[in-house]
Amino acid sequence: MTETENNLKPRIGVFSLTGCAGDQLMILNLEDTLIELLSKFDIKSFQEASSYSENTNLDIAFVEGSVSTEHDLKTLKNIREKSSLLIAIGDCAVNGCVQAMRNKQTSIAERMIDVYGVEDNIYKTFEPKGVGEYVKVDFEIPGCPIEKEEALNALISLLNGDAPLIPDYPVCVECKLNGYPCVIIEEGKPCLGPIITAGCDARCPGLGLDCVGCRGPIKGETNAKAELEALRKRGYADKYIINRLRFFAGNFDDIQILGVKENSKGDK
Amino acid sequence: MTVKNSLTPLEAQITRIEEMTSIEKLFYLKLIDLNTVKEFHYTPGQFLEVSIPGVGEAPISICDVQREHGRLQLCIRKVGRVTNAIHRLKKGDRLWIRGPYGNGFPMNLMENHDLLLIAGGLGIAPLRSVLQYALLHRNSYGSITVMYGVKCYSMMLFREEFLKLFREGDKLNVKFLLAYEDSDDFQCYQLSCERSDRCMSGLVTKLIESTAITPDNTYAVVCGPPIMYKFVVKELTQRGFTPAQIYMTMERRMKCGVGKCGHCITGSSNSIKYVCKDGPVFTYWDALKTRGLM
Amino acid sequence: MYKKLFKEDLEQFTSTLKQFGSIYGPVKKTSRGCEFTELTDFKDLQLNYTRTMIPPKKFFLKPKEPLYSLNKDAGFKEIIDDSKTVLLGVHSCDINALNLLDRVYLNQFPDLHYKTRRENTIIIGVSCEPDDYCFCTSTGSSHALKGFDLFLHEISDSYIVRVGSMKGFQIITQNKHIIKNPSLTDIKEFKEYEAERLSKITLNLNVNGIQDILDLSFDHAVWQENADICFGCGSCNLVCPTCRCYDVIDYLKLDLKNGLKVRRWDSCMLKQHALVAGGLNFRPTRVERLYNRFNCKMSCSEDSLNCVGCGRCTVYCPADINFVEVLKQVRED
Ligand SMILES: Cc1cc2nc3c(=O)[nH]c(=O)nc-3n(C[C@H](O)[C@H](O)[C@H](O)COP(=O)(O)OP(=O)(O)OC[C@H]3O[C@@H](n4cnc5c(N)ncnc54)[C@H](O)[C@@H]3O)c2cc1C
Ligand code: SF4
Ligand code: SF4
Ligand code: SF4
Ligand code: SF4
Ligand code: FES
């Protein structure tokens, strides 16, 4: 490969903040296409963000994990400054994901006592949030973990110079396109599909399981109250529904509102 | 088996590109397949679905009058996926088109009438084809008045062409008026010094307010951003234009252009319109009958 | 032209249909009912069913289908499915819905994909088993007058077979040995069975003048009330036999040269249905989208209503929004 060809390739970096590095693994899992894929990029950094040192400018930075510490935030801001495009990959980076389950429900101090037995915030943690809360995010690829196909298509779009296409409609759409029986209608299961971002091809309902919401709610479209209402009608307790909603979506305002109300009923 | 599918995009080559503003380019296209060239007729106000394989399609108005078979011009603003991809193309590159679609302006009906063309921003693109058509058949139309609203001089489309009309249009019985939003724009200010009755700072409605126009024997043709219509129509009706004398061309999300995909649907159950096939040209009367059209 | 087929001969009759294409029919899938599925065993066929979740529209306008293979230099090449298909057991409402779709897909610019599927598919109708959600008598779609090759009207031990096309006639001719002529008693029975079927359709929606009422009621409180509990999930449209909206997406392969142009069903309840570049949305809220859906369904194309009263949108709405109930509230009667 000649020098110029190499220079034309998009320079990319993949970085982890606080998360399980599951999304990086997902990208590495694209085995068959991986080598071909990687050869089209000039990879400047593919590592835990903690060891990020290179000061090269990037065309695209992929960031996974939520912002949970001062250190995360500093790294993130640095990455943003050095990159033309910043793409949040995985729910943690998109909206805080599982880590945000208890946000605004219990204080950090309470959680420190629960987990470490001390009230002091020894790790300088704060409520985990998506990277979009702190810096401008150009695109978001949701999922916990992200979907291989979707990630691949997003990378192809980026290589071609186009914006990635990420669904902004709910899982129900994919359910219907596949002709899967609806588990709410047929079996009264507590499916979150109606408010969750599609892209998984309705994997769970396809197996007869209710959607747990692992791809996060659709931003700006989530009717959490309706979900509460629909599941209540099918006999589920508020507390159960709200915990279920919070599991992957603790940072969503309309879901937090439900949470606050429930807390005020005196539940722990 | 080769079946003829009228919805399959045809290959076209870019013969020339003009950068008009920082976000708009004018593309000159030539259809490649000679068999299709003969069947390719378009009228002012019709549009094409332009596609870049692997990226997608976008509806774009044809902005010139048909002179030579198989050649046409598109003025495209880059705003998203497809239009960005089109802007990356170079002279000699290919893109694919299907159409022309839509009803277009009733050029026959408007014959022997005066024309008042009112455009805001990119809305001038379809109206340019009306203007060119009327100029090509100059004796069939009465006086022509063009009112064009721009943000500033640098955002003015077809600048040379229109400046020439601005200065010399009277020879062709064409009055070309310009309104500019950015009151600090020096070049526009200079134009307004040249002809204060033909160029003024403000919105396009200002031109209607300050020009003597009568609805007698006149058709108004309007195109611009959705918000513009309400104000322009108000001005025109106040001056006695009937709803059937006002033609407008509408934008909607469009995926097919031929009344199938449903995205351009508008109206309520007593009058549903598909903007792609029932329009994109409508009268203000249509808008009054169809909830949400305007 | 009417003929008669004994129920005991149905299996033999069905087996002769194989020469016309792969046979699809209603097969039990869930507690609620059947879906159109390829028939591998005659015993799976459930001609007495109420409604499928996904309408037979799926055979003509497929839920997801590649339209073209594409290449950056060579352009687009159609991918056409011209396989032969026989649909056995289609209800009147769904046949009427296909007739409506024909007006959209076979108009001035015929859709080659749809057209090819339509031309290669034989439709055999069957009388239905209405439930409390059916209101096809209100929408004028309880009977199919055209749009089928054969229609099996059930009576006690046989079917009165209406022949609707030359292809249907050909099928009948090939089955001469089991096809009879209906007797006077059969005809009497037919009338009784029809009366019985119609008597089960008890839900009634007064659609007379509904268009005026809907236009005048654009700010009626019922829209907001229902928008508040609506997910905007699109299920109502995706199960509707007359919804025709689709979206198209280009996919590129890793070589950045080849790819596919794919279409999939779309829904006007989804936020991007009316979104244009620059972020302007012509129906930004769920209220506007809900209003649009009801208006689209209650509008007429030529002389037929765009809703065939099949009840699917109500049955499969996870928020239990009841189509007929909403319209009754708007109508305030
Ligand atoms: C009749 C008609 C004539 C027109 N004439 C011209 C013209 O002459 N010149 C010109 O420059 N423009 C014209 N337009 C506007 C032009 O069609 C749009 O600017 C163009 O479709 C934008 O496409 P895009 O892919 O670049 O933008 P994108 O914003 O990427 O949009 C791609 C498609 O998806 C839709 N979309 C937008 N945002 C989203 C999202 N977040 N998610 C999913 N989909 C989305 C858009 O509505 C569009 O259909 C015309 C439009 C119409 C209807
Ligand atoms: S199973 Fe869940 S995701 Fe699927 S349609 Fe029903 S509610 Fe929606
Ligand atoms: S199915 Fe029900 S909840 Fe979903 S969009 Fe339709 S009306 Fe709303
Ligand atoms: S609107 Fe509802 S009842 Fe009417 S045809 Fe569609 S799904 Fe059936
Ligand atoms: S606009 Fe809505 S209701 Fe009408 S056909 Fe499309 S999806 Fe169905
Ligand atoms: S653009 Fe598809 S119906 Fe109008």
Side-chain angles (χ1 to χ4, degrees), chain B residues 47 49 253-265 274-277, chain C residues 244 246:
Chain B
F47 65 95
E49 283 284 348
R253 185 186 178 93
M254 289 185 186
K255 283 285 171 175
C256 69
V258 287
K260 297 182 171 29
C261 77
H263 285 95
C264 65
I265 187 175
Y274 290 93
V275 173
C276 67
K277 80 172 162 70
Chain C
R244 40 73 153 262
Y246 66 74

Side-chain angles (χ1 to χ4, degrees), chain A:
Chain A
M1 187 151 303
T2 65
E3 188 67 36
T4 39
E5 255 184 308
N6 209 27
N7 283 345
L8 286 174
K9 290 182 184 178
R11 290 156 303 169
I12 63 162
V14 185
F15 308 98
S16 299
L17 305 174
T18 303
C20 58
D23 298 312
Q24 283 196 14
L25 285 177
M26 212 58 188
I27 293 184
L28 289 172
N29 259 337
L30 287 164
E31 294 127 0
D32 35 346
T33 36
L34 182 69
I35 295 170
E36 197 187 344
L37 185 63
L38 293 185
S39 71
K40 310 224 173 201
F41 289 105
D42 179 10
I43 301 168
K44 292 292 183 201
S45 182
F46 200 121
Q47 61 197 187
E48 290 278 316
S50 51
S51 48
Y52 174 77
S53 56
E54 244 187 297
N55 265 341
T56 18
N57 292 325
L58 295 174
D59 293 311
I60 313 168
F62 295 91
V63 179
E64 66 158 358
S66 68
V67 183
S68 307
T69 65
E70 287 285 357
H71 184 253
D72 283 347
L73 188 56
K74 226 178 104 206
T75 325
L76 177 67
K77 287 192 167 155
N78 193 18
I79 296 168
R80 175 71 269 190
E81 242 172 63
K82 295 264 176 312
S83 322
S84 335
L85 287 182
L86 189 148
I87 302 182
I89 57 171
D91 282 357
C92 290
V94 171
N95 60 43
C97 194
V98 192
Q99 306 169 44
M101 194 187 331
R102 296 270 164 253
N103 282 5
K104 300 223 174 122
Q105 254 187 347
T106 57
S107 69
I108 294 275
E110 282 173 81
R111 277 181 257 173
M112 288 308 288
I113 291 176
D114 276 356
V115 183
Y116 299 103
V118 286
E119 195 173 316
D120 287 352
N121 189 350
I122 43 175
Y123 294 109
K124 292 201 166 50
T125 54
F126 34 81
E127 295 218 308
K129 285 190 179 149
V131 297
E133 292 284 330
Y134 301 101
V135 296
K136 177 176 169 267
V137 171
D138 297 289
F139 303 108
E140 293 176 338
I141 303 178
C144 180
I146 55 173
E147 295 286 330
K148 275 192 220 179
E149 271 301 304
E150 190 171 77
L152 180 64
N153 279 326
L155 290 172
I156 290 172
S157 289
L158 289 165
L159 273 174
N160 199 45
D162 308 324
L165 287 175
I166 303 297
D168 55 357
Y169 47 81
V171 180
C172 295
V173 172
E174 291 177 337
C175 223
K176 292 293 180 295
L177 294 180
N178 284 304
Y180 297 147
C182 174
V183 299
I184 290 193
I185 307 284
E186 305 283 346
E187 304 175 52
K189 287 185 177 167
C191 188
L192 300 188
I195 59 164
I196 299 299
T197 315
C200 55
D201 210 24
R203 185 180 289 117
C204 294
L207 297 167
L209 304 170
D210 35 302
C211 168
V212 293
C214 75
R215 291 176 53 81
I218 304 160
K219 285 193 176 167
E221 263 298 288
T222 316
N223 194 348
K225 268 211 269 198
E227 184 74 42
L228 182 66
E229 204 47 53
L231 297 187
R232 256 184 201 156
K233 263 195 269 181
R234 285 165 175 90
Y236 295 93
D238 280 23
K239 186 166 178 188
Y240 173 82
I241 305 165
I242 288 164
N243 282 339
R244 196 177 166 79
L245 284 167
R246 290 190 71 100
F247 196 80
F248 286 99
N251 271 337
F252 278 74
D253 288 343
D254 38 0
I255 288 173
Q256 280 174 356
I257 295 168
L258 307 177
V260 170
K261 204 164 79 197
E262 201 239 356
N263 247 10
S264 61
K265 280 186 203 157
D267 285 308
K268 191 186 173 260

